Amino acid sequence: MLHAKVNQAIHHISQHLLGKEHQIKLALSCLLANGHLLIEDLPGMGKTTLSHALANSLGLGFSRIQFTSDLLPADVLGFSTFDHQKQDFRFHPGPIFSPIVLADEINRASPKTQSALLEAMEEGQVSVDGETHPLPAPFFVIATQNPLHQSGTYPLPESQLDRFLMRIQLGYPSWEAEKQMLRGPLQNNLSGIPACLSQTELTQVQQHIRQVYASDAILEYVLRLSHFSRESDLFANALSPRASKGILQAARSWAWIDGREHVMPEDVQAVLPCVAEHRLRSDVAELGQNTPLSQRLLDAIDPLAA
Amino acid sequence: MTRFDLYRQRRLSIGLLNGCLLLTALSLFQPLMGWILIVSLCCIAISLLQLTYQQSMSPRAANLMALLTAIVLAYFSLELGLLLAMVNLLILACSLKVLQLQQNKDVFQLILALFFAISCGFIFQQSIVFSLFYGVLVASMLLAMAAYFRPGLRMFAQLRFVGRLCLMSLPVALILFLIMPKIGPLWQMPSNRSSQTGLSDSITPGDIAHLAQSDALAFSATFRGEAPNMPQRYWRAMVLETFDGKTWSLDKGKLAMERGARQMGIRFSPEVNGAFYDYDIIAEPTQQNWLYGLDLAVPTAGPPGIIQSASYQLISQRPLMKPMQYSLRSYYEAPLDNLFFEGELQRNLQMPRQGNPKTREFARQLRQQYSDDATLINALMTHFRQGGYRYTLTPPLMLTDANDDLLFNSKAGFCSHFASAMAATLRYAGIPARIVSGYMGGEVYPGGYMRIYQYDAHAWIEAWIQGEGWKRFDPTMMVSPGRVSLGLQQALADEGSFLADSPFALAKLRHYAIISRLRTLLADMDYVWSRWVLNYDQQKQFDLLSALLGKVTPLRLALLGLSVVGLIGLLLLVSFFWQQQRPKQTAAVRYYQRGLILLKQHQLGRTLPNGPQAYANFLQQQPNQAIWQAFSPLHDAFVQQQYLPGSKQQTPNIKQLKLALRKLKRALKRPV
């Protein structure tokens, strides 16, 4: 039932982002696994479209912050003003107080602003002027970023990249998909995407996904992967325990979307590139030139070996 | 951890088989002809090269070689005799087979033939060392077989598997050994003269002293009760009564007369009584008939066919092809005064008319000086003690008139020189005398038994003294008292010629404590092996069965056999249930892996990052649909086992898995 609704959402989104079903599935499984999502690609590849569509179909309120180099932390978190009538400071919540936050072009903001956002992501609360304000639950951040070789960007440090469960890349659409896109209406009407899940349903789904069965064999496979990344000198950075946990959680979510109540090695393999690549190497400049590190990691480990 | 490479393991096991063949062939170097050994070495080398470079010889070349070598072997087989020809043929066939290991059945044939070759090895060698060696060979062949026909396991797992098989078969082998009827050999061992070891049946003083240079075991003796002192340990083997001026040899005429007399039912068993030694002897195989005993030996127990001869020798009716155990009682105070044949004394006075003039003259002088036989002999013994004679194992060669040369020129020699000189002198002086060859001494081991080695070989004389019979005299004792009272090794301590031909003999190194202990340990093991395993014959089997059953009747035998079979069955049943009790959850994984191995052999292997689901998709896309249909139960069981919840409670249906595996094999064989 819930499962059908999620698939319906995927179907709807893929009407607007043609030929990218796999990425849509990944993005959804990231959100359903209660993780933050980073979408990285060149301008004009549909990053914003995807994030909008995701927010719409999950039926959550969302706010969008366009990150620029002069954006200040207060512009994100909110600020307090003195209320003369009540003789008190009143907190004006920023755009971050919203179930889904679209942080567009996050790497164009200064590190100070970036870290304000990322701290909020991690702790689920915001501290302004010594007062703590809890963020709504659920709370997702969907950030987009340009590849680093683009001018006017501040790279996210590894510690902050680690807070995103997944980083996905959209890539150019196929010939057919792009042709179909050109044939369609000039302006994409994203508001036409129906909300497929209610908020309670979303919580149910998340709870369900946490109970998807991962056998010992799967746990060991994940462990072998992360241990290999630590022992081998192929990788600049190794996978942290948080990464192992993330891989497993994402795999659960992927398996659930696939209609299963148990995780298979293929689920791990499907989500691993998105979950592990940005943790193994933050240097995006090399992307596309070599075999992705996560692929090398997969190739090195036999999913069946005892 | 990466999976063990299937093909590497198969190559490894073929290499191991080659090694086994090499060792078997080398261990059979005695019966094998030289050129067969060379052919076999070449074949092994070629096979190893083939393994390295992954090429194979054309069948035609190998067949041609087989034909040619078989023809040559057929040519030689007439002089070899059937058994040796067959052993040669077997090794030749094995060697040629390693060139052509294309299919499973080739490997299987090779292994079976090698097992047969190893059992042939036991015809020629039965000592504990060789038995252990062949045991190790058999185990490594089992290992090779396991690695070849069931690759995919790590070598350690294979070892454990083979070890378990060997342990399981051990009780069965033991029971078969104990209760299987003992059948005599089905073939006649060729009595090749060159393969004879031990004493020779003639003594030519002046020959090179080769016997004293071997540290091989001659026999071992276990005394019940008191054992004789060193100077009493004269083990009689042969009596040499014919002298042609150069060589002392057995009296063929007398032996023929004895045979005739025996056929008429006459036994040469003297009436004896008095003090005696009781002992068992295990004689090593010599391919000869001579047995050993202290004077005056009467056989008490042992296999039938031990004959006492008129010269107090012990003769076995069959040549000693394997260690032989027998029991003796020696009446050491009884006189040897029986003359079974007329003219026996005359025979022991015969001398050639020519040669040895100085000895002849020496004897004449002695006779003139002493009229009494006993005093003459004493004087001669004194002459040996005081005449400036020297004991050595490396005397100068004495080509003509050896007795003259020894007595008056070189004055150096060993036992047979002195014995020959003394016996000749006594005969010239008119006293009947003959040479006795055998062993003198023996080393007592802590296990309570005595071992007599080939280097203990000795020769002494017997002279007939009226009223006393044959009396033993040992001129060597006069020349070198240490040889008799201390043993050969001490007597030659200064000269350094003890075992000079075998530089690594353990007996030489006995000053080192560890070597000495090792030698003792080996001797102990060999003794126990000969006594309890090699000499376990029909009689002992019967004794054992009687001890077990009381009276041996066919019914009781059958009951014993049945109960043994029942016991084995019970053990099997228990182990079977034990296996059943063990969690079966790994079975699905095991069968799945076997399926993977099968598919890999047919170039449908799983490429690395692929998990089970991706691999299943790959198989579904194969043009041969039967493969996936057969494999899917394995896949389902595996996934169920590995990834689904609650797999601990469920056990896979093994029958179904087996069926699937069989179906998969069939599907893979079928062309698309």
Side-chain angles (χ1 to χ4, degrees):
Chain A
M1 183 59 192
L2 290 172
H3 176 247
K5 284 184 174 173
V6 170
N7 274 311
Q8 214 178 346
I10 294 171
H11 176 72
H12 284 305
I13 299 172
S14 61
Q15 296 296 310
H16 294 271
L17 205 67
L18 294 164
K20 294 288 168 205
E21 208 153 330
H22 185 71
Q23 280 82 349
I24 295 165
K25 246 171 100 178
L26 277 171
L28 252 180
S29 57
C30 173
L31 298 185
L32 295 182
N34 219 352
H36 305 294
L37 177 66
L38 180 62
I39 306 173
E40 176 188 280
D41 220 318
L42 296 165
M45 304 291 277
K47 299 188 293 284
T48 318
T49 314
L50 175 60
S51 39
H52 269 245
L54 282 172
N56 274 347
S57 62
L58 288 183
L60 296 172
F62 67 95
S63 57
R64 177 186 163 161
I65 316 169
Q66 181 66 46
F67 279 49
T68 54
S69 51
D70 54 358
L71 190 75
L72 293 176
D75 298 333
V76 176
L77 305 178
F79 49 90
S80 301
T81 50
F82 190 73
D83 190 334
H84 288 282
Q85 289 173 339
K86 290 189 181 173
Q87 290 293 304
D88 197 5
F89 280 100
R90 203 160 71 86
F91 180 67
H92 296 269
I96 200 168
F97 286 86
S98 162
I100 292 188
V101 178
L102 301 180
D104 236 356
E105 304 193 50
I106 188 174
N107 59 344
R108 291 185 61 190
S110 62
K112 197 177 173 187
T113 316
Q114 285 176 1
S115 61
L117 171 72
L118 294 162
E119 272 169 42
M121 279 162 61
E122 186 58 21
E123 278 149 35
Q125 59 188 21
V126 168
S127 301
V128 177
D129 299 334
E131 262 185 81
T132 309
H133 306 279
L135 291 168
F139 172 71
F140 303 118
V141 172
I142 301 175
T144 70
Q145 76 170 348
N146 295 323
L148 288 189
H149 54 79
Q150 294 251 315
S151 53
T153 54
Y154 300 90
L156 291 174
E158 285 93 351
S159 60
Q160 303 195 344
L161 274 175
D162 199 31
R163 306 218 168 125
F164 288 100
L165 177 60
M166 281 193 196
R167 180 185 68 179
I168 61 175
Q169 286 163 319
L170 291 172
Y172 293 109
S174 66
W175 179 280
E176 276 304 313
E178 201 167 352
K179 191 173 167 190
Q180 209 180 333
M181 184 194 89
L182 293 175
R183 192 180 287 138
L186 199 62
Q187 198 62 42
N188 242 333
N189 188 10
L190 283 176
S191 54
I193 294 179
C196 297
L197 289 175
S198 67
Q199 193 157 342
T200 46
E201 279 172 334
L202 181 65
T203 334
Q204 274 176 12
V205 168
Q206 286 183 335
Q207 226 155 40
H208 219 117
I209 283 175
R210 254 177 250 133
Q211 285 159 9
V212 167
Y213 178 74
S215 68
D216 269 11
I218 289 295
L219 301 186
E220 273 165 24
Y221 180 39
V222 171
L223 279 179
R224 279 206 303 279
L225 286 167
S226 51
H227 276 249
F228 183 75
S229 78
R230 293 165 204 172
E231 283 154 15
S232 164
D233 46 7
L234 272 177
F235 313 105
N237 305 319
L239 293 179
S240 62
R242 179 171 17 185
S244 313
K245 210 174 156 192
I247 292 169
L248 190 64
Q249 198 53 31
R252 280 194 168 117
S253 168
W254 180 268
W256 186 83
I257 291 177
D258 227 27
R260 270 176 288 116
E261 293 291 325
H262 60 273
V263 184
M264 293 282 288
E266 279 78 6
D267 302 323
V268 176
Q269 291 174 353
V271 298
L272 188 93
C274 302
V275 180
E277 187 71 25
H278 62 289
R279 299 170 208 258
L280 291 173
R281 176 179 55 189
S282 54
D283 184 6
V284 198
E286 275 184 64
L287 262 181
Q289 285 157 26
N290 289 323
T291 322
L293 285 179
S294 51
Q295 194 56 46
R296 286 198 217 170
L297 179 59
L298 283 178
D299 286 345
I301 303 295
D302 186 345
L304 300 190
Chain B
M1 194 161 318
T2 53
R3 289 204 57 71
F4 208 92
D5 188 350
L6 211 93
Y7 295 99
R8 216 185 102 221
Q9 208 177 57
R10 285 200 150 184
R11 283 214 301 279
L12 219 74
S13 78
I14 288 187
L16 192 59
L17 280 180
N18 270 310
C20 288
L21 172 61
L22 179 70
L23 289 177
T24 314
L26 287 181
S27 78
L28 286 168
F29 77 97
Q30 245 181 345
L32 283 188
M33 287 196 286
W35 66 272
I36 297 255
L37 211 54
I38 291 169
V39 167
S40 139
L41 291 182
C42 291
C43 288
I44 290 166
I46 293 172
S47 163
L48 291 179
L49 286 178
Q50 284 179 359
L51 268 188
T52 320
Y53 295 105
Q54 309 250 358
Q55 283 171 346
S56 64
M57 204 179 194
S58 81
R60 195 178 297 166
N63 287 342
L64 192 67
M65 222 162 111
L67 186 69
L68 288 178
T69 46
I71 290 172
V72 178
L73 185 61
Y75 173 75
F76 282 113
S77 66
L78 282 180
E79 64 181 88
L80 277 179
L82 186 64
L83 177 71
L84 286 187
M86 283 303 143
V87 171
N88 276 296
L89 184 65
L90 188 64
I91 292 294
L92 184 64
C94 286
S95 310
L96 290 168
K97 193 78 211 173
V98 294
L99 296 178
Q100 291 284 312
L101 295 178
Q102 310 280 349
Q103 294 171 358
N104 285 358
K105 68 170 188 207
D106 294 329
V107 178
F108 206 61
Q109 280 168 1
L110 175 67
I111 288 172
L112 283 181
L114 268 179
F115 274 132
F116 203 80
I118 286 179
S119 40
C120 283
F122 279 111
I123 299 177
F124 304 98
Q125 308 276 6
Q126 294 137 8
S127 70
I128 178 83
V129 178
F130 268 91
S131 306
L132 287 176
F133 169 70
Y134 282 137
V136 171
L137 264 190
V138 166
S140 34
M141 272 167 55
L142 287 175
L143 181 65
M145 187 151 76
Y148 190 86
F149 290 105
R150 216 183 63 149
L153 279 181
R154 258 168 262 131
M155 225 45 183
F156 180 70
Q158 300 278 30
L159 259 178
R160 222 175 38 194
F161 172 69
V162 168
R164 214 175 55 211
L165 278 188
C166 288
L167 273 185
M168 278 158 83
S169 60
L170 204 62
V172 181
L174 205 67
I175 285 162
L176 286 179
F177 174 74
L178 287 177
I179 65 174
M180 267 293 277
K182 300 275 162 197
I183 311 165
L186 299 172
W187 52 79
Q188 181 71 47
M189 272 296 289
S191 56
N192 190 346
R193 264 202 81 75
S194 66
S195 69
Q196 289 184 0
T197 55
L199 300 170
S200 90
D201 57 4
S202 66
I203 283 181
T204 310
D207 265 356
I208 307 158
H210 73 278
L211 200 58
Q213 305 282 30
S214 157
D215 67 343
L217 182 68
F219 60 96
S220 54
T222 319
F223 284 89
R224 286 189 288 272
E226 191 194 358
N229 292 328
M230 191 73 174
Q232 266 84 52
R233 292 179 199 153
Y234 279 90
W235 305 90
R236 172 189 296 254
M238 271 173 272
V239 178
L240 311 175
E241 292 175 287
T242 307
F243 185 55
D244 65 354
K246 229 181 135 183
T247 303
W248 293 86
S249 52
L250 292 164
D251 190 337
K252 298 272 161 39
K254 190 175 170 190
L255 287 175
M257 269 154 57
E258 272 183 53
R259 262 199 300 279
R262 261 200 304 278
Q263 273 163 11
M264 284 166 10
I266 297 172
R267 294 277 171 277
F268 301 100
S269 9
E271 291 289 320
V272 278
N273 44 44
F276 55 79
Y277 300 122
D278 255 341
Y279 53 102
D280 296 334
I281 284 188
I282 303 174
E284 290 296 303
T286 55
Q287 279 81 37
Q288 303 189 58
N289 300 60
W290 306 108
L291 301 175
Y292 324 100
L294 297 168
D295 289 334
L296 193 163
V298 179
T300 51
I306 296 181
I307 303 157
Q308 284 179 281
S309 87
S311 318
Y312 307 100
Q313 309 164 98
L314 295 170
I315 303 171
S316 159
Q317 272 178 336
R318 289 226 186 90
L320 269 70
M321 291 308 179
K322 57 175 195 141
M324 177 173 173
Q325 184 173 358
Y326 54 93
S327 303
L328 294 179
R329 174 168 293 180
S330 285
Y331 298 88
Y332 53 90
E333 285 168 347
L336 280 63
D337 56 357
N338 278 13
L339 288 176
F340 291 98
F341 295 107
E342 268 182 56
E344 206 179 327
L345 290 181
Q346 271 63 46
R347 283 174 172 276
N348 282 300
L349 281 172
Q350 278 172 358
M351 288 299 282
R353 300 196 173 190
Q354 305 294 317
N356 294 314
K358 287 186 191 165
T359 313
R360 217 181 280 254
E361 178 56 27
F362 177 54
R364 206 181 51 77
Q365 283 173 7
L366 280 176
R367 187 83 269 186
Q368 276 182 347
Q369 246 177 309
Y370 310 98
S371 56
D372 180 43
D373 284 358
T375 15
L376 191 149
I377 293 172
N378 277 337
L380 187 54
M381 293 290 269
T382 318
H383 176 74
F384 275 113
R385 186 163 61 226
Q386 295 169 347
Y389 293 97
R390 190 163 60 82
Y391 184 80
T392 173
L393 282 184
T394 50
L397 271 177
M398 297 168 231
L399 296 174
T400 53
D401 295 338
N403 294 333
D404 277 9
D405 203 350
L406 175 85
L407 282 174
F408 303 106
N409 289 341
S410 63
K411 297 198 167 189
F414 52 91
C415 55
S416 58
H417 297 88
F418 296 119
S420 167
M422 183 168 178
T425 312
L426 288 183
R427 282 194 178 187
Y428 282 130
I431 302 171
R434 60 193 186 185
I435 288 186
V436 181
S437 73
Y439 294 89
M440 159 73 218
E443 191 175 338
V444 179
Y445 276 80
Y449 54 94
M450 192 185 286
R451 275 161 87 87
I452 292 88
Y453 294 94
Q454 292 295 359
Y455 58 66
D456 289 321
H458 193 50
W460 58 95
I461 73 146
E462 278 177 344
W464 179 268
I465 294 174
Q466 208 59 48
E468 289 186 51
W470 292 107
K471 289 280 283 184
R472 180 172 66 218
F473 295 99
D474 191 352
T476 315
M477 188 172 70
M478 296 290 113
V479 174
S480 167
R483 165 68 185 91
V484 177
S485 59
L486 297 172
L488 180 67
Q489 204 181 1
Q490 263 74 26
L492 292 172
D494 299 332
E495 203 186 50
S497 61
F498 175 67
L499 294 178
D501 288 351
S502 27
F504 299 111
L506 285 180
K508 259 175 101 175
L509 302 171
R510 67 175 79 173
H511 306 299
Y512 303 101
I514 199 166
I515 299 284
S516 168
R517 210 174 306 154
L518 184 72
R519 185 166 170 265
T520 313
L521 183 73
L522 262 178
D524 281 348
M525 274 165 64
D526 201 36
Y527 177 72
V528 169
W529 181 253
S530 318
R531 191 179 177 111
W532 297 111
V533 180
L534 296 184
N535 275 298
Y536 183 78
D537 52 16
Q538 256 170 327
Q539 184 58 42
K540 286 194 182 142
Q541 187 176 40
F542 187 79
D543 292 346
L544 178 80
L545 289 178
S546 315
L548 277 179
L549 304 173
K551 205 171 138 211
V552 183
T553 61
L555 179 70
R556 288 185 177 186
L557 267 182
L559 278 179
L560 178 70
L562 274 181
S563 60
V564 165
V565 169
L567 187 69
I568 293 173
L570 200 72
L571 285 177
L572 278 179
L573 216 66
V574 167
S575 76
F576 178 72
F577 273 110
W578 187 59
Q579 294 269 345
Q580 287 281 311
Q581 288 301 309
R582 279 197 326 187
K584 265 198 293 184
Q585 18 174 331
T586 52
V589 179
R590 238 175 24 236
Y591 279 94
Y592 183 77
Q593 298 279 22
R594 271 196 223 171
L596 286 187
I597 289 174
L598 263 179
L599 286 160
K600 190 174 179 183
Q601 283 165 350
H602 290 81
Q603 278 73 45
L604 288 171
R606 185 173 58 96
T607 44
L608 231 198
N610 276 351
Q613 195 58 52
Y615 187 55
N617 294 342
F618 163 76
L619 285 183
Q620 277 161 9
Q621 284 156 17
Q622 291 302 313
N624 188 347
Q625 281 300 312
I627 293 177
W628 168 244
Q629 276 166 20
F631 190 70
S632 62
L634 296 175
H635 167 83
D636 292 345
F638 178 75
V639 169
Q640 168 79 36
Q641 172 58 51
Q642 285 287 81
Y643 304 114
L644 278 169
S647 57
K648 298 270 189 296
Q649 285 83 45
Q650 289 172 343
T651 50
N653 183 347
I654 292 197
K655 213 180 262 177
Q656 209 180 339
L657 294 180
K658 273 185 184 158
L659 185 73
L661 207 59
R662 232 174 293 142
K663 265 191 191 166
L664 182 63
K665 266 182 210 167
R666 233 176 295 136
L668 284 170
K669 266 182 199 148
R670 201 182 309 146
V672 184

